């Protein structure tokens, strides 16, 4: 029996690099893979690893996440002992404030750890898509008597600079930890999965709280622990994808469609749990052509769908073509409309004959050039694209636009469409 | 406040005419429409009608049903007041009996009816498919001051002799209800939905020596006795799926371009316990049209005009046409299915052909298997290269050894050796 039974999941951050998708919801609540939210993977890993006592730290736009988690029933986390608890910042009699960083979020909820008399603490991130049994890692952590254990994986050297890069010695102890280095020395990176000996973490937290740092696990706590204590690396070789950018989000979704998916969602021994919707089975009409795609309950397809992911309740009308796209819940693709390399948020309405994702990716998006340059066009929640309109690549369409908000002529590559004089940050989440 | 209506759902029957499909489970628990069980329609009607005091009378093969209902969560029937209760027969100090019929089931649950102190008792069948707002029925029943309201519907085209015919006078009062007449006459039949004023029903159930059948021994005598029995017409879709043909047709109707029964109406969704299955995957070689596809399916072959339940795998080069394929069945590569009903967990081997040859009626059950369908019973395995004819019944748990040379011609019944029928 392991001594690690409490997990805290960091789910509070603003995912600015996910562009529109996380504008109205926390990143862990972003829809993924046809019926999931990103946090489902971490939560399912927990319960499949026998961990049923979980605190989720939320701060940025938590409503969508809160609705999704509910009382935790989908994960069997509606329990008398343990279960799941959402820990948002609150005002109290002691020093309390907005969370200043991931470490501060846990520090402000340290009572939770103390109450449990937890000797060790599992700290996870809510915005990774991966499948991992935490038990072997827990075993290694306990056996080697580590102050902390960090799960590591390997990525291509050119991508390593987005992560915490790890250097280890022959015995597997971490000798160096660099968060997002400019010139990474190697491709071994932290997966954001940590086990801490509670006493060691507490000491580190106390020190950190007094310093003017970012109060961040990757930037401050772990590097400092590496200096002062014994931090073990635990190599985990399964599929792991950080959903940090729009590109990685798009790629991770499309990974599910490859002939040999790196991540078998269908594996009944390691189910990914999520609250289910009440829709009927997918209905593929007599003129439907669906290939290399994921379809979910409540979808109705009468057109052509290739290499795409359709979320519940999506309707693809006759003659419409959806190619290399991700279409979220309850969106409607009108007759003869065409989508190519698009991400549509929920309840988008694409009018008859409209074409989105047309032409060359001539220039990156004006608004967020660093995140929208690979040719993907993204349409925000509940916007209504007028019939017949042509929209180029790398375009960002704000949420909640109505037909009148769109220009009459074709929208060129790299444009940003939003209602004049209105902040894109208004509105409610779901 | 207690709801004035107690709902009792009859879900204990065995449908002989469904053969292998109806032997492993009571007909109310029959899988339907890609993710549902037949009883989901009745229970969802209750939920949408605001009726939350429901008793389900079970007897035949109830485990599948019991597991399905659980605490009634999908229908919002997990309640402090009311909710769902399963009512199986039980051993008593005196006289212990299985339910000998529908009326007997009610008699044996007289205490449930009394304790409910309901104004009306709505008696439903768990094995019918329809959508209905019972609230309006109750309203009509009350304004008519009826002792009993019988819901009626138009007689289906096939096998009109299976139903009970209702005759009314000009004011909608029922004059007669004739069960399964040799020569059916009239257009209006009983839809198997009975709303009793509680005190009238109780009075009848208390009569000494009452027979066991609800229609013959309660409803018909009430009419003869001059009790106020009125008819209420259900004009919409209504299907009894008690035969293989009716079950198949009702499923296939869902695939029509404009289905007679829509499952997509957001105001009247059909609720069922959800399974934790991944979304459906259709691969590059896969091709699906005119079909319903549930979560957990993996399609690498071709599927036309068919219904795939959760977890079905159609391997590359396999062809499934006009078929119903239930949970976790595997159709291996190159296999072909035509007009087949494949029960849960069946394995169709490589290049096996199911539903081929002449449609000569089944030798043992010519009435039930004559339209060219074939049925593969739960958990059976058809070997690679095997061939199964039309109107053929492959019983539950059949293995390669039970099939001479892997083949069964049209019109035969294949049984597993050493398995008691």
């Amino acid at each position: 029996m392991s001594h690690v039974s409490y997990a805290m999941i960091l789910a509070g951050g603003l995912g600015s690099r996910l562009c529109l998708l996380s504008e109205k919801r926390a990143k862990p609540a972003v829809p993924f893979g046809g019926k999931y939210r990103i946090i489902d993977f971490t939560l399912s890993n927990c319960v499949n690893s026998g961990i049923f006592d979980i605190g989720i730290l939320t701060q940025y736009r938590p409503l969508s996440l809160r609705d999704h988690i509910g009382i935790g029933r989908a994960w069997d986390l509606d329990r008398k002992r343990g279960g799941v608890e959402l820990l948002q910042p609150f005002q109290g009699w002691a020093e309390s404030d907005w969370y200043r960083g991931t470490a501060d979020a846990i520090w402000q909820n340290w009572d939770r750890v103390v109450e449990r008399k937890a000797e060790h603490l599992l700290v996870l991130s809510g915005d990774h898509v991966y499948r991992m049994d935490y038990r072997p890692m827990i075993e290694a952590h306990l056996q080697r008597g580590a102050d902390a254990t960090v799960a590591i994986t390997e990525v291509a050297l050119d991508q390593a600079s987005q992560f915490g890069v790890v250097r280890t010695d022959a015995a597997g102890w971490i000798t160096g930890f660099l968060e997002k280095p400019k010139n990474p020395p190697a491709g071994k990176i932290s997966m954001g999965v940590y086990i801490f000996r509670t006493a060691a973490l507490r000491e580190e937290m106390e020190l950190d709280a007094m310093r003017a740092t970012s109060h961040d696990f990757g930037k401050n706590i772990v590097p400092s622990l590496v200096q002062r204590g014994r931090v073990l690396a635990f190599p985990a070789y399964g599929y792991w994808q950080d959903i940090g950018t729009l590109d990685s989000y798009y790629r991770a979704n499309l990974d599910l469609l490859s002939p040999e998916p790196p991540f078998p969602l269908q594996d009944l021994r390691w189910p990914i749990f999520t609250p289910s919707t009440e829709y009927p089975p997918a209905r593929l009409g007599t003129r439907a052509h669906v290939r290399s795609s994921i379809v979910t309950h409540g979808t109705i397809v009468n057109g052509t769908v290739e290499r795409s992911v359709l979320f519940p309740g999506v309707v693809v009308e006759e003659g419409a073509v959806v190619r290399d796209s991700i279409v979220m819940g309850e969106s409607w693709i009108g007759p003869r409309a065409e989508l190519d390399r698009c991400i549509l948020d929920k309840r988008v309405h694409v009018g008859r004959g409209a074409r989105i994702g047309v032409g060359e990716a001539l220039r990156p998006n004006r608004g967020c050039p660093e995140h929208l340059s690979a040719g993907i066009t993204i349409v925000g929640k509940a916007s209504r694209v007028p019939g017949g309109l042509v929209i180029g690549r790398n375009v960002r369409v704000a949420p909640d636009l109505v037909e009148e908000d769109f220009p009459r002529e074709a929208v060129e590559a790299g444009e940003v469409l939003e209602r004049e004089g209105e902040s894109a940050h208004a509105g409610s989440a779901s | 406040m207690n709801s004035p209506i107690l709902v009792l759902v009859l879900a204990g029957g065995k449908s002989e005419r469904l053969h292998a499909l109806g032997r492993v489970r009571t007909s109310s628990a029959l899988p339907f429409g890609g993710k549902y069980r037949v009883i989901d329609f009745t229970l969802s009607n209750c939920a949408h009608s605001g009726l939350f005091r429901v008793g389900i009378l079970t007897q035949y093969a109830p485990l599948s049903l019991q597991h399905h209902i659980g605490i009634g969560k999908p229908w919002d029937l997990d309640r402090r007041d009311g909710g769902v209760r399963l009512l199986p027969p039980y051993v008593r100090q005196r006289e212990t009996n299985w339910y000998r019929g529908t009326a007997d089931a009610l008699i044996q649950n007289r205490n449930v009816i009394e304790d409910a102190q309901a104004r009306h008792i709505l008696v439903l069948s768990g094995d019918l498919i329809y959508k209905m707002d019972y609230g309006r029925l109750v309203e009509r029943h009350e304004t008519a001051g009826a002792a009993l309201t019988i819901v009626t519907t138009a007689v289906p085209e096939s096998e009109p002799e299976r139903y009970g015919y209702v005759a009314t006078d000009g004011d909608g009062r029922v004059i007669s209800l004739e069960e399964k007449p040799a020569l059916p006459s009239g257009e209006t039949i009983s839809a198997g939905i009975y709303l009793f004023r509680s005190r009238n029903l109780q009075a009848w159930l208390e009569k000494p020596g009452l027979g066991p059948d609800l229609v013959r021994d309660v409803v018909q005598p009430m009419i003869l006795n001059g009790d106020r029995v009125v008819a209420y017409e259900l004009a919409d879709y209504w299907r009894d799926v008690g035969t293989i043909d009716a079950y198949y047709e009702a499923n296939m109707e869902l695939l029509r371009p404009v289905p007679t029964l829509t499952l997509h109406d957001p105001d009247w969704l059909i609720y069922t316990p959800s399974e934790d299955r991944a979304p459906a995957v259709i691969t590059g070689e896969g091709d699906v049209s005119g079909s319903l596809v549930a979560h957990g399916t993996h399609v690498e072959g071709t599927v036309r005009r068919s219904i795939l339940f959760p977890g079905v795998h159609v391997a590359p080069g396999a062809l499934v046409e006009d078929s119903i394929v239930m949970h976790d069945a595997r159709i291996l590569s190159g296999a072909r299915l035509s007009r087949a009903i494949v029960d849960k967990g069946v394995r169709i081997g490589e290049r096996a052909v199911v539903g081929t040859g002449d449609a000569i009626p089944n030798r043992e059950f010519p009435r039930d298997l004559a339209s060219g369908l074939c049925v593969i019973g739960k958990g059976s395995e058809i070997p690679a290269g095997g061939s199964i004819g039309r109107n053929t019944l492959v019983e539950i748990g059949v293995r390669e050894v039970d099939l001479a040379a892997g083949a069964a011609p049209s019109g035969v019944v294949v049984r597993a050796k050493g398995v008691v029928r």
Side-chain angles (χ1 to χ4, degrees):
Chain A
M1 194 53 212
S2 80
H3 297 75
V4 184
S5 57
Y6 185 49
M8 291 181 117
I9 300 177
L10 305 166
L14 171 94
S16 55
R17 291 179 299 159
L18 273 187
C19 203
L20 283 178
L21 296 182
S22 54
E23 211 159 78
K24 291 189 173 187
R25 47 170 99 81
K27 200 157 66 168
V30 169
F32 183 87
K35 63 177 269 197
Y36 307 100
R37 306 279 183 142
I38 292 172
I39 199 170
D40 292 341
F41 295 90
T42 300
L43 281 174
S44 299
N45 285 340
C46 282
V47 299
N48 287 333
S49 301
I51 290 162
F52 288 97
D53 191 7
I54 298 169
I56 299 179
L57 296 135
T58 68
Q59 169 152 289
Y60 174 75
R61 290 204 180 258
L63 296 187
S64 183
L65 190 63
R66 187 167 281 279
D67 286 349
H68 180 69
I69 307 269
I71 57 167
R73 177 181 285 274
W75 302 271
D76 218 356
L77 285 168
D78 53 330
R79 304 206 152 210
K80 199 154 72 176
R81 301 180 56 173
V84 65
E85 190 178 33
L86 283 131
L87 303 168
Q88 67 280 353
F90 57 90
Q91 291 193 329
W93 46 269
E95 272 180 64
S96 55
D97 201 347
W98 297 109
Y99 300 150
R100 292 170 300 171
T102 51
D104 185 49
I106 287 184
W107 191 233
Q108 288 201 39
N109 288 285
W110 194 252
D111 283 357
R112 288 286 179 283
V113 182
V114 174
E115 263 169 28
R116 283 165 173 82
K117 302 189 176 74
E119 283 175 50
H120 302 271
L121 176 66
L122 186 57
V123 175
L124 305 167
S125 159
D127 46 15
H128 297 149
V129 173
Y130 66 117
R131 195 164 75 143
M132 181 175 176
D133 188 342
Y134 301 127
R135 287 169 295 195
M137 176 172 170
I138 291 169
E139 211 171 284
H141 172 81
L142 296 174
Q143 231 168 41
R144 304 284 295 272
D147 290 326
T149 301
V150 179
I152 60 166
T153 188
E154 277 191 62
V155 295
L157 206 55
D158 62 325
Q159 283 173 35
S161 62
Q162 301 169 34
F163 303 103
V165 176
V166 169
R167 201 168 53 232
T168 57
D169 66 15
W173 297 102
I174 296 180
T175 54
F177 190 102
L178 289 166
E179 183 71 1
K180 298 187 178 135
K182 286 239 166 60
N183 296 304
K188 267 188 206 160
I189 58 147
S190 159
M191 293 163 59
V193 173
Y194 312 106
I195 305 171
F196 293 99
R197 191 163 59 79
T198 309
L201 179 61
R202 186 198 166 91
E203 224 173 87
E204 211 48 64
M205 292 279 217
E206 276 173 343
L207 288 173
D208 182 74
M210 290 182 295
R211 296 186 196 135
T213 73
S214 322
H215 309 291
D216 184 85
F217 273 97
K219 282 188 199 125
N220 312 112
I221 301 290
V222 176
S224 169
L225 248 181
V226 167
Q227 300 283 314
R228 298 166 14 95
R230 289 155 56 81
V231 182
L232 185 69
F234 182 84
Y237 292 112
Y239 179 83
W240 178 86
Q241 181 73 56
D242 168 56
I243 307 296
T245 65
L246 209 53
D247 274 345
S248 63
Y249 172 79
Y250 181 78
R251 199 170 48 242
N253 270 283
L254 265 57
D255 275 350
L256 300 171
L257 306 177
S258 60
E260 298 284 323
F263 195 121
L265 287 174
Q266 314 248 6
D267 188 346
L268 296 177
R269 291 163 306 176
W270 203 269
I272 308 302
F273 301 104
T274 193
S276 280
T277 48
E278 300 294 345
Y279 285 111
R283 183 179 166 83
L284 309 185
T286 44
R287 302 219 176 130
H289 292 287
V290 182
R291 271 176 201 282
S292 302
S293 294
I294 280 178
V295 295
T296 50
H297 284 172
T299 52
I300 301 178
V301 180
N302 289 307
T304 299
V305 178
E306 288 173 356
R307 294 177 304 280
S308 296
V309 178
L310 304 188
F311 282 73
V314 166
V315 178
V316 179
E317 295 287 8
E318 215 166 297
V321 179
V322 176
R323 206 178 290 119
D324 297 301
S325 294
I326 297 163
V327 185
M328 295 188 198
E330 290 165 32
S331 287
W332 184 79
I333 318 301
R336 293 191 308 286
E338 282 181 37
L339 306 182
D340 190 82
R341 287 173 72 76
C342 291
I343 300 175
L344 266 52
D345 207 326
K346 290 166 91 171
R347 294 198 294 283
V348 168
H349 183 101
V350 179
R352 179 182 287 269
R355 294 166 64 206
I356 311 181
V358 174
E360 301 294 315
L362 293 175
R363 52 188 157 270
N365 188 266
R366 280 198 287 123
C368 41
E370 65 279 28
H371 309 133
L372 210 50
S373 63
I376 299 165
T377 284
I378 179 166
V379 183
K381 209 168 121 193
S383 271
R384 299 176 62 88
V385 179
L389 187 69
V390 175
I391 298 180
R393 298 190 192 274
N394 292 330
V395 173
R396 190 181 78 188
V397 179
D400 299 316
L401 297 190
V402 295
E403 280 88 346
E404 293 74 43
D405 296 323
F406 286 82
R408 297 268 170 79
E409 292 88 42
V411 178
E412 287 181 18
E415 284 300 307
V416 175
L417 297 184
E418 49 199 4
R419 197 169 302 159
E420 269 176 47
E422 215 173 83
S423 159
H425 289 263
S428 66
S430 171
Chain B
M1 199 200 84
N2 273 346
S3 154
I5 315 288
L6 172 69
V7 182
L8 294 172
V9 183
L10 304 168
K14 177 181 178 185
S15 287
E16 300 285 354
R17 297 195 58 192
L18 287 166
H19 299 276
L21 303 174
R23 199 163 318 116
V24 288
R25 51 180 87 82
T26 184
S27 47
S28 300
L30 201 59
F32 184 86
K35 67 176 263 196
Y36 307 100
R37 305 288 182 137
V38 173
I39 199 171
D40 293 340
F41 290 83
T42 298
L43 293 180
S44 301
N45 287 342
C46 289
H48 290 302
S49 304
L51 302 183
F52 294 108
R53 270 206 296 176
V54 179
I56 300 178
L57 294 100
T58 63
Q59 172 155 294
Y60 180 76
L63 297 187
S64 171
L65 185 66
Q66 238 161 275
H67 180 75
H68 181 72
I69 306 280
I71 57 167
K73 175 92 186 140
W75 307 276
D76 236 348
L77 285 168
D78 54 330
R79 305 216 150 206
R80 193 189 54 193
D81 293 332
V84 68
R85 256 173 112 182
L86 289 161
L87 303 169
Y90 52 88
V91 174
R92 298 155 196 266
Q93 293 213 330
R94 291 180 197 179
E95 239 197 305
T96 293
N97 267 310
W98 296 106
Y99 295 149
R100 286 162 298 191
T102 43
D104 188 47
L106 297 185
I107 293 169
Q108 291 200 36
N109 285 289
R110 231 157 55 196
N111 57 335
V112 174
I113 297 174
E114 280 159 20
D115 292 350
Q117 298 192 352
R119 207 154 59 229
H120 307 292
I121 311 290
L122 179 59
V123 180
L124 304 171
S125 295
D127 54 3
L128 299 173
I129 306 226
Y130 62 99
K131 296 198 264 186
M132 181 177 181
D133 184 349
Y134 300 127
R136 295 173 59 186
L137 167 67
V138 172
E139 231 167 76
R140 268 285 305 282
H141 176 76
E142 291 201 325
T143 41
L148 163 63
T149 302
I150 301 175
V151 176
T152 62
T153 186
V155 64
E157 281 165 26
S158 68
E159 297 199 74
E161 69 281 1
R162 284 170 58 205
Y163 302 98
Y165 287 77
V166 175
T168 51
D169 66 13
D171 298 329
R173 189 152 170 176
V174 175
I175 321 168
S176 70
L177 167 55
E178 202 190 344
E179 277 275 87
K180 299 178 183 159
L183 285 170
S185 65
E187 298 295 310
T188 309
I189 59 163
S190 162
I193 301 161
Y194 302 98
L195 181 58
F196 293 93
R197 187 154 57 200
S198 193
R199 65 180 146 83
N200 293 70
L201 177 64
Q202 288 182 61
W204 279 95
L205 296 180
E206 275 159 24
K207 287 193 199 297
L210 187 79
D213 187 73
L214 186 67
V215 172
R216 200 183 57 224
D217 302 310
V218 178
V219 175
Q220 287 172 339
M222 279 177 87
I223 299 167
L224 286 175
N225 189 50
D227 287 11
R228 192 166 170 73
V229 180
V230 303
Y232 178 90
E233 197 197 349
L234 170 65
D236 302 326
Y237 179 98
W238 178 92
R239 296 290 183 276
D240 176 337
V241 292
T243 66
I244 291 170
D245 282 339
Y247 171 73
Y248 177 80
E249 288 305 328
N251 272 284
M252 289 298 133
E253 276 182 66
L254 298 171
L255 304 179
R256 290 186 189 169
V258 181
T260 38
L261 172 76
T262 172
L263 301 171
H264 278 85
D265 180 357
D267 296 328
W268 206 279
L269 288 171
I270 308 304
Y271 303 124
T272 193
S274 280
E275 302 187 37
D276 290 300
R277 307 269 194 163
V281 174
I282 299 165
T283 66
E285 300 151 276
D287 184 6
V288 185
S289 64
S291 298
L292 288 180
V293 175
H295 281 166
T297 51
H298 192 78
V299 183
E300 302 178 272
T302 303
V303 177
R304 307 231 178 279
R305 299 174 304 277
S306 295
I307 295 180
L308 305 188
F309 282 77
V312 168
H313 180 206
V314 180
L319 171 65
V320 176
E321 285 185 318
D322 304 296
S323 295
I324 299 167
V325 187
M326 297 185 198
H327 308 67
D328 299 308
R330 285 167 298 158
I331 317 299
L332 300 192
S333 59
R336 293 203 329 257
L337 257 64
S338 164
R339 287 175 65 79
I341 303 174
V342 174
D343 209 326
K344 288 171 130 183
V346 162
R347 182 178 188 274
I348 309 288
E350 279 101 357
R351 302 176 317 285
V353 182
V354 175
T356 180
D358 295 340
I360 51 167
N362 191 279
R363 285 181 223 156
E364 292 182 46
F365 310 109
R367 186 163 73 125
D368 296 338
L369 269 171
S371 65
L373 297 171
C374 69
V375 174
I376 314 289
K378 190 174 172 184
S380 284
E381 293 183 3
I382 308 301
S387 122
I388 306 293
R390 298 189 194 276
N391 295 324
T392 300
L393 171 60
V394 175
E395 273 291 354
I396 300 150
V398 165
R399 295 281 174 278
E400 186 164 3
V401 293
D402 305 314
L403 281 157
S410 289
V412 304
V413 179
V414 183
R415 297 186 171 89
K417 294 188 180 73
V419 174
V420 182
R421 279 187 264 139

